[in-house]
Amino acid sequence: MKLMSFAEGRWVEPQGRLTEVVSAVDGAPVGLCSSEGLNFGGMARYARAVGGSNLRKLTFTERAAILKRLAAYLMERKDELYDLSYKTGATKTDGWIDIEGGIGTLFAYASRGQRELPNEKHLIDGDVEQLSKGGSFVGLHVLTPLKGVAVHINAFNFPCWGLLEKFAPTFLAGVPVITKPATATAYLAEKLVRLMIGSGLLPEGSLQIIVGSTGDLLDHLTMQDVVSFTGSLETSVKLQAHPNILRNAVRFIAERDSLNASILGPDAGPGTPEFDLYVKEVQREMTTKAGQKCTAIRRAIVPRQHADAVAEALRARLAKVVVGNPQAEGVTMGALASHAQRDDVRTKIQLLRSEAQVVFGDPETFEVVGADKEAGAFLPPVLLRCDDPWKARYVHDVEPFGPVATIVPYDTLEDAVRLANRGEGSLVASVFTYDPAVADELLFGTASFHGRLVFIDRDCAKESTGHGSPLPHMIHGGPGRAGGSEEMGGLRGVKHYMQRTALQGSPTRLGQLGRSWIRGGVEINAGEHPFRRPFDVLQLGETLHTRPRTITMEDIEHFAEFTGDTFYAHMDEEAASANPFFPGRVAHGYLLLSFAAGLFVEPAPGPVLANYGLDNLRFLKPVVPGDAIKVRLTVKSKRARKEYGEVRWDVQITNQLGETVANYDLLTMNAFSNDSKAAQG
Ligand code: NAP
C-alpha cells in the first residue's frame, strides 16, 4: 500500500526512494512512503492563502460546530482505525486511548469552544483597563488568528490522539494545519486524515498531511507560522536551531523527553491504600501502550524502608503481564511501535543496568503469545532498582521510551525532592500520600519542575484519571527538558495559535471593536425600556437611568426582619459605629440589590425570561438612612443561544452625590423577536 500525502488540495502518491513501514507485530509490510517531489513551499502558501482565509471567515462557534460534527463522523468510523492500530503494537485499550481519546479531545474542544468562546472571529483577553484619569482612553487585549500555517510534527506513539489534540485547538483558533506524523506509524495517521478530509466537513485548505520527511518546509516558514513539535530532545533542539526558524522568530512549541517521577510518601507503607494505589499505578504506567507514553512513570521514588516491599509487590503484578500479539486472547501488553524503537529501548536498558540492577524482566528471554518474538518489536516490562541514586546519571537523564521504570529509594523527604528534580523538569509527577505535611513539602519542593503534579490518595483514587491522565487532559510540554512551558487543559491551547495585541482608544471605539459596551462609551436611549426589547433588537450600549429612591431606617429594619438578616451593622448603632468600615447602621448589600431591581425592572411579561445570576459584584460605599440611590442599567454584551439569548447588563448603583455604591453584571436570558424566529425558520 502506498501511503499518500495530502498537499495543496489533492492526494499525492509517494515517488522516488520509498521507505517501507512494517507492522510492529509481525514485521509484515504495511506501507511505502516518501515525500519526495512535494512542493513544501507551495503547501505552506496554499495553507495560508486558502485554508487560513476560509477558516477566518468563520466564528469560533462555527468552527466548534464543525469539530463536533467531525468528531461524530470519526466516532462512527473508528473501527477502520482500530484495524490499523493493532499493527502499531497497540492493544485494544491502547488503541482506545489513541483513537477514542483523540476523538474525545475533539468533542471536548468542540463543546468548550461552543460554551466558552464567543460567536466572533476574535477573542477579548482580560478586562478593560482605564488608561486616563477621565476614563476617555482605555486599553484592552485582543487575540486574532495568526495569518500563517501551523506545522505539527508528531511522535510515533499516539498517531491519532497526537494529531487530533493539536489539530483541534489550531482549527478552533482559525489556523490551517500541515501535519507530519512520525514515519513508523504514519499509516494510521494517514488513514485518520483520509477520514477527516473524506468527511467533507473541513473548509478547503485547513488540513494537509506530509507522509515522509518535511523536506525544505522549514525554509518557507514566516513569523505568522507556528511549529508544534512532539518527539525527542535531540530533534527538537535541531529543528529549533534551524536558521529560518531563528531568523523569522517562528513560534516553536516543543514537547519532548520527560523523566517523570512518581513519589511514594513515607506515610504510605505496605497496608495503606496509598501503597496499593502506587503499585497499581506504576505497573499500569509501565505497561499501557508498552510504556511508550510521554507521561509514563520512569522513576519510582520510594522511601528506602519500603523499597523492598514496593519491588516485591511490583514483581508480583508484572509477572501477570502477558506480552504478545495485541489481537491474541489474553494479551495485556503489545509490541513497541517499531523494531528501531525496541532496539533503542534495549540500548537504554543496558545503560541503566550500569548503575541499577534488574528487579524484574529480561529483554532477551521472555514469552510472547500469538506472534513470532523476533519478527515483532516485543519487549517485556523491565523494572530496575538503583540503590545509589546520587551517583547515578542515566537513571535521571535517559528516557527508555518503553515498558521500563526504575525504583529509586530515598532516605529523607528532602532527598525525595532533590531526586525528583534531578529529572530537570518533566510533564508530570505524581505523589501518593495521605499526610498533609508530606504533600505540602513535595508541592513546594517540586512543583516548579513539573507541568502537572497529581496527588493521589484514598479520597480521589476512584475518580482520579491517574498519573498519566490520557483523557481528556491535554498536555503541552512541561518545564525544563520536557519542553514548552506549561501544562494546558482546554482553551489555552487555542491561544498558542493567535496573536495577543493590546488595543488602546476611546471606550466607544474599543467597545465597538471588542463587541462589548465599555463604561464611558456612548449610551443609547432607544426610546423604550430595554426590558421590552427582544434579544435581536437590543443594541449594545442601550441604557436605562432610573429615578432615585431614598433609603430609610424603616426600610432597613423591615428588610432585616423579613429576611432574618439582623447582622449588627444594620441593627445596632453602637456596634456598627465601632466597625472600621461603617459610620453607623447601614443598609444591607442585598437590600441595595433588591431595591435596584425594584427600580429598573419592567414588570409586565416581555422578552426578559429569567435572571440567571450576577457577576463581579462589589459594594463600594456604605449606604446610610437618608441616602438616595439610583441605577444605571446598560446592555454590556450579548450571546445568542439556540432558543434564546444571554444578555449581560452593566449595573451601577450611585448615591445622591454621584458616588458609586455598587457595581455588578446582571445576567438575563432573553427571547428573540417573532420576526427573528420566523427568519430562523
Ligand atoms: P523523534 O525522532 O524526535 O521524532 C519525532 C518527530 O520528528 C517524528 O515525526 C519525526 O519524523 C520528526 N523528525 C525527525 N527528524 C526531523 C527533521 N530533521 N525534520 C523534521 N522532522 C523530523 O522522536 P521519536 O523517538 O520518534 O519519539 C519519541 C520521543 O517523543 C520520546 O523521547 C518521547 O519522550 C517524546 N514524546 C514526548 C511527548 C510530549 O508531549 N512531551 C509526547 C510523545 C512523545 P520521522 O518519524 O519521519 O523521523
Side-chain angles (χ1 to χ4, degrees):
M1 181 174 72
K2 286 185 175 165
L3 302 177
M4 298 203 212
S5 296
F6 187 71
E8 299 182 66
R10 62 194 181 89
W11 287 99
V12 183
E13 281 213 359
Q15 48 177 286
R17 211 152 39 93
L18 304 184
T19 304
E20 188 177 65
V21 185
V22 302
S23 158
V25 180
D26 57 13
V30 183
L32 294 168
C33 59
S34 162
S35 62
E36 263 181 61
L38 289 181
N39 178 353
F40 297 100
M43 288 177 76
R45 285 189 294 276
Y46 169 80
R48 292 184 205 110
V50 181
S53 52
N54 279 339
L55 284 168
R56 289 195 302 275
K57 282 183 197 137
L58 305 173
T59 64
F60 291 109
T61 310
E62 289 165 335
R63 293 193 288 258
I66 295 176
L67 283 186
K68 195 168 197 170
R69 291 209 299 277
L70 180 67
Y73 179 92
L74 294 175
M75 199 57 107
E76 277 173 23
R77 289 157 183 81
K78 64 182 180 192
D79 290 342
E80 298 178 41
L81 297 169
Y82 273 105
D83 289 344
L84 283 175
S85 173
Y86 291 121
K87 294 188 194 298
T88 70
T91 60
K92 177 90 189 185
T93 310
D94 298 336
W96 179 83
I97 296 170
D98 187 33
I99 296 164
E100 291 178 59
I103 299 171
T105 300
L106 279 190
F107 273 123
Y109 268 110
S111 58
R112 292 195 64 173
Q114 282 182 318
R115 237 186 10 248
E116 295 171 38
L117 294 176
N119 191 18
E120 296 287 349
K121 296 169 184 167
H122 65 352
L123 197 57
I124 301 304
D125 200 28
D127 295 328
V128 176
E129 283 180 50
Q130 190 167 322
L131 301 175
S132 67
K133 225 172 169 187
S136 68
F137 190 57
V138 295
L140 193 61
H141 283 98
V142 67
L143 288 152
T144 52
L146 290 171
K147 292 191 168 164
V149 55
V151 175
H152 294 166
I153 300 178
N154 297 335
F156 63 80
N157 56 337
F158 287 117
C160 296
W161 179 82
L163 190 154
L164 293 172
E165 66 107 21
K166 286 186 190 174
F167 174 77
T170 315
F171 184 86
L172 210 43
V175 175
V177 170
I178 297 178
T179 190
K180 184 263 179 279
T183 301
T185 52
Y187 48 91
L188 182 48
E190 190 235 34
K191 178 71 191 174
L192 173 63
V193 172
R194 275 190 184 278
L195 292 176
M196 292 167 78
I197 301 286
S199 74
L201 293 167
L202 298 179
E204 189 190 344
S206 50
L207 177 62
Q208 300 176 77
I209 181 172
I210 297 171
V211 179
S213 101
T214 49
D216 65 355
L217 178 61
L218 300 192
D219 290 325
H220 298 280
L221 299 187
T222 70
M223 53 80 70
Q224 286 291 301
D225 301 325
V226 185
V227 176
S228 175
F229 170 84
T230 306
S232 64
L233 181 68
E234 289 71 30
T235 312
S236 130
V237 169
K238 193 163 86 188
L239 299 188
Q240 204 159 6
H242 186 286
N244 189 48
I245 300 277
L246 293 176
R247 192 179 322 111
N248 283 332
V250 177
R251 290 164 173 81
F252 194 97
I253 305 167
E255 311 167 27
R256 49 196 206 185
D257 301 12
S258 186
L259 269 294
N260 311 299
S262 184
I263 307 172
L264 184 69
D267 57 300
T272 64
E274 286 70 32
F275 181 90
D276 296 340
L277 290 165
Y278 186 78
V279 170
K280 207 166 144 193
E281 192 67 0
V282 173
Q283 182 258 315
R284 189 163 74 122
E285 287 290 312
M286 284 178 72
T287 53
T288 301
K289 191 74 193 170
Q292 301 164 108
K293 262 174 59 192
C294 52
T295 51
I297 297 169
R298 303 289 171 209
R299 297 176 303 148
I301 301 180
V302 305
R304 196 173 291 278
Q305 69 272 24
H306 302 320
D308 287 343
V310 170
E312 197 44 53
L314 272 172
R315 209 182 286 140
R317 284 193 80 94
L318 292 170
K320 292 189 194 141
V321 174
V322 180
V323 180
N325 182 338
Q327 286 177 289
E329 184 74 23
V331 166
T332 54
M333 192 176 95
L336 271 66
S338 69
H339 296 73
Q341 188 56 24
R342 179 200 58 191
D343 297 344
D344 182 67
V345 175
R346 274 192 181 146
T347 309
K348 287 177 174 159
I349 292 172
Q350 275 311 109
L351 289 178
L352 294 177
R353 284 177 90 157
S354 66
E355 49 194 32
Q357 82 253 28
V358 173
V359 172
F360 180 91
D362 180 342
E364 308 302 330
T365 319
F366 60 100
E367 291 284 310
V368 166
V369 173
D372 176 342
K373 189 168 138 193
E374 290 314 311
F378 296 102
L379 266 188
V382 176
L383 180 68
L384 299 106
R385 172 173 171 161
C386 176
D387 276 314
D388 193 354
W390 299 109
K391 281 208 193 115
R393 196 182 102 216
Y394 299 128
V395 166
H396 309 294
D397 192 46
V398 167
E399 184 197 26
F401 206 60
V404 184
T406 305
I407 295 175
V408 176
Y410 69 84
D411 294 302
T412 64
L413 211 48
E414 210 184 324
D415 285 351
V417 167
R418 284 170 55 213
L419 288 168
N421 296 350
R422 284 279 297 272
E424 293 181 357
S426 82
L427 292 170
V428 56
S430 52
V431 174
F432 289 70
T433 181
Y434 205 53
D435 182 335
V438 171
D440 210 67
E441 189 164 342
L442 292 175
L443 163 70
F444 289 104
T446 69
S448 67
F449 283 73
H450 308 292
R452 183 161 53 93
L453 198 51
V454 200
F455 291 87
I456 299 178
D457 60 26
R458 63 198 78 174
D459 294 340
C460 71
K462 219 167 154 196
E463 291 192 318
S464 148
T465 46
H467 171 102
S469 182
L471 258 183
H473 225 99
M474 286 141 266
I475 314 268
H476 276 261
R481 62 180 293 148
S485 59
E486 59 193 333
E487 153 87 355
M488 292 191 302
L491 296 177
R492 275 160 76 192
V494 175
K495 297 182 183 175
H496 273 269
Y497 299 94
M498 305 185 83
Q499 172 63 38
R500 187 169 190 262
T501 308
L503 303 183
Q504 296 177 320
S506 72
T508 301
R509 174 67 63 240
L510 294 202
Q512 168 231 324
L513 295 173
R515 315 289 191 260
S516 162
W517 181 81
I518 296 173
R519 274 195 189 184
V522 163
E523 293 175 10
I524 298 170
N525 179 351
E528 68 179 323
H529 193 292
F531 273 27
R532 300 240 49 87
R533 293 168 58 77
F535 180 80
D536 45 300
V537 174
L538 208 53
Q539 308 163 71
L540 298 185
E542 276 189 34
T543 299
L544 171 81
H545 287 275
T546 71
R547 66 176 176 82
R549 171 170 183 171
T550 302
I551 312 282
T552 65
M553 187 61 87
E554 289 69 41
D555 287 333
I556 296 173
E557 289 182 350
H558 179 81
F559 191 85
E561 262 162 51
F562 181 54
T563 62
D565 178 355
T566 52
F567 189 61
Y568 74 87
H570 317 303
M571 304 305 285
D572 180 337
E573 187 65 35
E574 201 181 325
S577 309
N579 180 304
F581 298 109
F582 304 131
R585 289 173 73 178
V586 294
H588 307 64
Y590 301 118
L591 175 150
L592 297 177
L593 296 181
S594 305
F595 281 20
L599 287 168
F600 66 65
V601 294
E602 215 296 315
V608 177
L609 304 174
N611 162 1
Y612 72 95
L614 304 180
D615 272 353
N616 309 321
L617 172 62
R618 285 290 177 278
F619 297 114
L620 300 167
K621 255 194 165 318
V623 171
V624 297
D627 281 352
I629 60 161
K630 58 180 182 172
V631 185
R632 178 188 49 74
L633 175 81
T634 306
V635 180
K636 184 173 179 180
S637 63
K638 304 194 321 175
R639 188 180 172 100
R641 297 284 180 196
K642 264 197 195 118
E643 304 293 323
Y644 57 88
E646 292 169 3
V647 181
R648 181 176 285 267
W649 307 79
D650 183 284
V651 186
Q652 184 180 24
I653 308 178
T654 47
N655 63 18
Q656 65 283 2
L657 301 174
E659 297 166 327
T660 304
V661 298
N663 272 330
Y664 54 98
D665 288 355
L666 165 71
L667 310 168
T668 62
M669 285 190 270
N670 290 30
F672 291 103
S673 64
N674 287 332
D675 294 351
S676 158
K677 269 189 229 148
Q680 283 173 25

